[in-house]
Amino acid sequence: MKKILFLLVALTGLAFGADGEQIKAFSVVAAGIGLGVAALGGAIGMGHTAAATILGTARNPGLGGKLLTTMFIALAMIEAQVIYALVIALIALYANPFLV
């Protein structure tokens, strides 16, 4: 863990002293990592949501319709978080606020 923290601090110092081309490169790396983490979190959340819905329907088949509706609402909210990460990544790539 200490090695990862040290690497992040070293890269942060390098990023603050970077010129325009290096900032663009760091923005591409940050956008890729951010989207990957957001997609991973969204996929895990969607998997848990689907598993809980299937389990609830198996325990009480009469509530299947209500559980399905609730699941779709939850999936839409989970996916919205991933879309927000995509928007932030696109802003960092194309309308880069870090370039002066």
Side-chain angles (χ1 to χ4, degrees):
M1 186 67 183
K2 289 181 183 180
K3 291 179 183 178
I4 294 173
L5 183 64
F6 178 74
L7 181 65
L8 287 175
V9 170
L11 288 177
T12 303
L14 183 64
F16 280 125
D19 61 352
E21 292 300 318
Q22 286 178 336
I23 290 176
K24 288 180 185 175
F26 282 125
S27 295
V28 170
V29 171
I33 291 172
L35 279 176
V37 170
L40 177 68
I44 291 170
M46 288 180 182
H48 284 298
T49 303
T53 303
I54 292 169
L55 182 65
T57 304
R59 287 186 179 183
N60 191 353
L63 289 178
K66 281 187 170 184
L67 290 175
L68 193 65
T69 303
T70 306
M71 181 190 76
F72 284 135
I73 292 170
L75 290 178
M77 292 196 181
I78 292 169
E79 190 64 31
Q81 298 299 316
V82 179
I83 292 171
Y84 294 153
L86 174 66
V87 169
I88 291 171
L90 290 175
I91 288 171
L93 287 176
Y94 295 111
N96 200 335
F98 304 113
L99 293 176
V100 178

